[in-house]
Amino acid sequence: AAPTALQPATHRSSKIAALLADLRALCARGEKAVVFSAHRAVLLHLGVVLAAEGIAYRAVTGPGRAADGHAHTRAASEWAQDSSLPVFLLHAGVAAAGLTLVAGGGGFLLG
């Protein structure tokens, strides 16, 4: 659902607050994390929250068309190689075949 005046775009549910705490702990150890969700809206919201928190990330949340494959690979490569990008957001419905996510020290599933 779209945020309301009572629930701004950076609203933090208890699930998001717990995830932020875990992500901060991983970042403090110099590790990276991959966050998966089957719900694109959840990842888009998390991106807004991460930006508000000053946590850099890359995301692959778009449709899994073959034409997007290069953009998906580029985003995963940037995330894996850039130490200033600790978080990678990945939509479970994206054609992610071939993405190398082994740089992640932690994985999280959001419903």
Side-chain angles (χ1 to χ4, degrees), residues 71-109:
H72 295 172
T73 302
R74 186 173 47 252
S77 179
E78 288 173 0
W79 168 76
Q81 295 173 11
D82 189 340
S83 62
S84 71
L85 295 169
V87 180
F88 191 77
L89 307 179
L90 182 62
H91 184 266
V94 169
L99 292 183
T100 302
L101 304 174
V102 295
F108 301 89
L109 297 173

Side-chain angles (χ1 to χ4, degrees), residues 4-71:
T4 65
L6 297 176
Q7 182 182 10
T10 56
H11 172 74
R12 288 156 183 82
S13 66
S14 59
K15 186 186 303 186
I16 296 292
L19 176 63
L20 285 173
D22 288 342
L23 291 175
R24 283 190 191 101
L26 280 173
C27 291
R29 293 193 305 264
E31 296 184 38
K32 292 178 174 261
V34 181
V35 180
F36 301 93
S37 180
H39 305 285
R40 187 171 287 113
V42 170
L43 294 173
L44 295 174
H45 174 74
L46 182 56
V48 170
V49 172
L50 291 173
E53 292 289 322
I55 300 173
Y57 67 94
R58 283 293 179 265
V60 173
T61 58
R65 300 185 310 258
D68 294 332
H70 294 295

